[in-house]
Amino acid sequence: MTEEEMIAELRKKGYCVVKPEFIKIGNENIQKPLMEYPPIGTYYYVADIKNGDMAECFTWQGSGFDMRCLQHGLVHLTREAALAHGEALIKVSGGTCE
């Protein structure tokens, strides 16, 4: 099944399917962070450049911390997107991700 066919089938079942948006940090295109808060209980990831793992997972509770991460443009729904965000921030400041 092609991607288009899969999207068509999901839409027939009432799902809303949107392609991810991207932003540019330096020379890197990364998936756009969430701009609206997710439902309570949603797992989300934040780029954590001070940590060796480079991404940290949290559960959305609507706390002050959650809202600050959202306002700062750091909330991603996948670990991969958070990692790419962290790596782009390091590269744009002249660092390396080795």
Side-chain angles (χ1 to χ4, degrees):
M1 180 177 285
T2 68
E3 181 179 0
E4 291 80 20
E5 292 170 333
M6 193 179 327
I7 290 171
E9 288 300 314
L10 288 169
R11 286 187 173 146
K12 284 181 194 175
K13 294 179 181 181
Y15 289 94
C16 178
V17 181
V18 294
K19 291 193 178 201
E21 293 182 60
F22 290 85
I23 61 171
K24 192 167 186 100
I25 298 177
N27 293 326
E28 304 291 321
N29 287 313
I30 66 155
Q31 207 168 32
K32 184 178 179 180
L34 291 184
M35 303 308 289
E36 297 179 14
Y37 57 87
I40 299 293
T42 301
Y43 292 109
Y44 72 93
Y45 298 84
V46 172
D48 184 1
I49 59 176
K50 68 180 183 350
N51 186 337
D53 292 339
M54 299 264 304
E56 196 165 348
C57 182
F58 299 96
T59 303
W60 186 268
Q61 299 175 16
S63 68
F65 174 78
D66 293 342
M67 296 305 284
R68 280 190 304 280
C69 288
L70 184 70
Q71 291 167 349
H72 293 163
L74 299 172
V75 175
H76 293 277
L77 293 179
T78 66
R79 184 174 189 282
E80 293 75 20
L83 287 172
H85 193 160
E87 289 176 3
L89 292 172
I90 289 170
K91 289 176 185 176
V92 78
S93 65
T96 62
C97 299
E98 297 171 7

